[in-house]
Amino acid sequence: QRAASDALYAHLYAQLGQPQGLRNLDSDAEKLSFGREFPGKDVLRAAMSFIYSAKARGDTPHVFPGLAGSLLAAYNGTLRRFGLVDFDDLLFYAGAVLQLPHVLHSVRSRFPYLLVDEFQDLNQLQMSLVVRLQAGVGRVTAVGDERQSIFAFRGASCEHNFAQFLSVFVDATVSRVGQHTKATEKQHEEMEDIEEDPERGVMASLTRNYRSHQSIVDLGNIVARDTGRGSALLERLRVPLTAQPTAPVVPVAVWANRTIHDEARVIVRRIAALLASGDCRPADIAVVSRVLNFGSYRPTELVEKELLRQGIAFVVRGGSSALKSQRMQHMMALVRCVANVHDDVAADTCLDAFVRDVGPAARKRIVEYAQGSSLRQLPMFERMRRVSALTSLAAGGLQKNARAALAEFVAR
């Protein structure tokens, strides 16, 4: 992602006819204007959001005119330069391969049945694979709840997918003649028992909620009913739920607050009241947030500060994955550098993390090595190797200590 970000920075600057200045774009962002597609200070974030959404739909650069198309091409070109594909590329190329009849036949024969879980989180590329594999066959089961769709920012197309699935597999007639491969006679009989009409699909609603008290389920039913009115699809999908019988619980209360600071104060005031009343132990109270860490923003931060201000002890559970720690990222960069010497991002990370005595000036010499010659396209690791062998500062070499440290790293 860092390589793609740098490439997009450079591309945006090129559109303005300015020097790249990759690391300075953030400070200059208020001066930049790229129209309605990428407005405001977070121009890179807006551009990456556009790219992710476009690729999740399977769109290619030629679909978009002007800057949008060139940005998507620049992103894809950066991946190809390092010999990489992203997740949506894997889906796109899988769909392309399945266009070949013999490949499709082979995959269908090997995997005659398809089960899709968390169906509401599929993007359009994933949905196209489901249709490609099972269109006209119909041996597919999808389990999902459009009310739990939370990945639209990653390209999930919930309502589109449900509508297409119902159209292709439930409301349409599909032929299953001669499609059973390697199934036993008993399995055929069991399938016949559960299919009222073997030529049509079936939609079944799972109405029992095993996770929540009835009061919470009732609130969810009200929200689902009120927000689904006017949509034939949503009215078809959303059915009232019931909960497992439980002991009576405190009714659900909903507060609307003008600001996040007001929200934090209301939450802590309620906690203080519960503790003062003796109705609850501290261990009985939880403030639940879907995302604990989201970049520099932490949804629970204001609540934690208010708890401290009120002298109420608390414990924070959860957090970032260990894979996101700096130490793990450095180790992964080293593995990537060993596996692919053309991975400039990994090599650059290793240079910063593992090579001592190489400061900004030395790093600049490495990056600028042979810029004005035919060798300017050399991978970063090869630049490091060649610069470590130069003994003359005039020829682009490094100071003695930096050169020795760089040579040691390259040799290892």
Side-chain angles (χ1 to χ4, degrees):
Q1 186 173 6
R2 177 178 165 188
S5 298
D6 282 357
L8 293 181
Y9 273 141
H11 193 75
L12 292 171
Y13 267 101
Q15 296 294 318
L16 297 181
Q18 297 182 7
Q20 290 189 8
L22 301 183
R23 304 304 178 191
N24 300 322
L25 183 61
D26 289 333
S27 61
D28 296 338
E30 293 181 0
K31 307 174 186 177
L32 304 181
S33 176
F34 297 97
R36 291 178 300 173
E37 289 177 313
F38 313 112
K41 292 180 62 176
D42 292 331
V43 58
L44 182 62
R45 177 174 295 181
M48 292 304 296
S49 177
F50 156 73
I51 288 170
Y52 292 150
S53 297
K55 298 198 70 173
R57 293 190 301 267
D59 293 337
T60 53
H62 75 273
V63 174
F64 305 96
L67 177 62
S70 64
L71 273 175
L72 183 55
Y75 175 84
N76 288 335
T78 302
L79 294 179
R80 302 302 172 265
R81 177 186 171 195
F82 296 115
L84 302 173
V85 291
D86 63 13
F87 179 67
D88 291 316
D89 285 329
L90 295 176
L91 300 174
F92 180 83
Y93 289 122
V97 170
L98 289 174
Q99 296 293 328
L100 302 174
H102 68 283
V103 175
L104 179 62
H105 175 75
S106 175
V107 174
R108 281 182 167 180
S109 298
R110 186 175 181 184
F111 304 103
Y113 300 94
L114 190 61
L115 172 63
V116 185
D117 196 13
E118 302 292 358
F119 181 75
Q120 72 278 356
D121 295 329
L122 267 62
N123 62 30
Q124 290 187 31
L125 280 176
Q126 292 168 314
M127 185 63 199
S128 67
L129 290 179
V130 173
V131 173
R132 185 67 180 160
L133 288 170
Q134 288 292 328
V137 180
R139 289 203 299 273
V140 53
T141 299
V143 182
D145 182 353
E146 52 82 25
R147 289 168 291 191
Q148 297 185 42
S149 178
I150 59 172
F151 288 108
F153 69 95
R154 291 185 182 175
S157 52
C158 177
E159 291 190 30
H160 166 273
N161 291 344
F162 274 99
Q164 186 175 14
F165 189 92
L166 291 172
S167 173
V168 175
F169 298 115
V170 176
D171 299 334
T173 299
V174 293
S175 173
R176 296 182 175 85
V177 178
Q179 295 292 332
H180 299 300
T181 59
K182 299 184 179 179
T184 66
E185 183 175 345
K186 182 179 179 181
Q187 288 173 329
H188 285 307
E189 293 174 355
E190 291 174 347
M191 291 175 62
E192 291 172 358
D193 289 340
I194 64 174
E195 292 183 0
E196 297 179 3
D197 182 358
E199 297 299 322
R200 296 183 65 83
V202 176
M203 186 184 84
S205 297
L206 306 179
T207 60
R208 178 62 60 87
N209 184 305
Y210 294 90
R211 296 179 176 179
S212 305
H213 291 294
Q214 187 64 51
S215 55
I216 296 177
V217 172
D218 290 342
L219 176 62
N221 286 334
I222 294 172
V223 173
R225 181 196 64 201
D226 291 348
T227 57
R229 287 173 176 166
S231 169
L233 174 64
L234 294 184
E235 290 180 356
R236 181 179 182 184
L237 294 175
R238 294 181 177 180
V239 295
L241 303 180
T242 59
Q244 288 281 77
T246 59
V249 295
V250 177
V252 174
V254 179
W255 290 295
N257 302 284
R258 295 181 59 187
T259 69
I260 55 177
H261 295 85
D262 290 342
E263 180 185 61
R265 284 191 287 269
V266 168
I267 291 173
V268 175
R269 192 181 305 133
R270 178 60 176 162
I271 291 173
L274 288 172
L275 294 176
S277 68
D279 293 337
C280 292
R281 300 172 302 164
D284 296 329
I285 302 172
V287 177
V288 182
S289 172
R290 180 172 290 278
V291 181
L292 183 63
N293 290 305
F294 189 75
S296 60
Y297 172 66
R298 298 176 60 239
T300 59
E301 182 177 5
L302 291 177
V303 176
E304 293 172 33
K305 289 181 178 179
E306 189 65 23
L307 287 168
L308 288 172
R309 190 175 293 113
Q310 297 295 329
I312 300 175
F314 63 92
V315 177
V316 178
R317 303 187 186 278
S320 297
S321 166
L323 292 176
K324 295 182 180 179
S325 67
Q326 187 180 62
R327 180 177 298 179
M328 186 62 71
Q329 292 297 310
H330 288 168
M331 188 193 77
M332 292 304 300
L334 190 60
V335 172
R336 287 165 49 200
C337 193
V338 171
N340 180 8
V341 294
H342 295 280
D343 191 333
D344 286 3
V345 177
D348 189 49
T349 300
C350 290
L351 180 63
D352 288 339
F354 300 116
V355 184
R356 65 186 185 280
D357 298 324
V358 174
R363 185 182 180 282
K364 183 178 180 181
R365 282 177 172 265
I366 297 171
V367 172
E368 294 180 349
Y369 173 78
Q371 282 288 355
S373 71
S374 60
L375 301 177
R376 63 182 179 276
Q377 297 296 330
L378 282 176
M380 184 65 172
F381 186 83
E382 181 61 20
R383 292 173 188 272
M384 293 163 59
R385 188 187 69 79
R386 295 197 180 198
V387 171
S388 69
L390 298 175
T391 57
S392 169
L393 290 175
L398 307 179
Q399 296 287 349
K400 182 179 179 180
N401 289 344
R403 184 173 70 250
L406 186 61
E408 181 183 6
F409 172 79
V410 171
R412 287 184 176 182

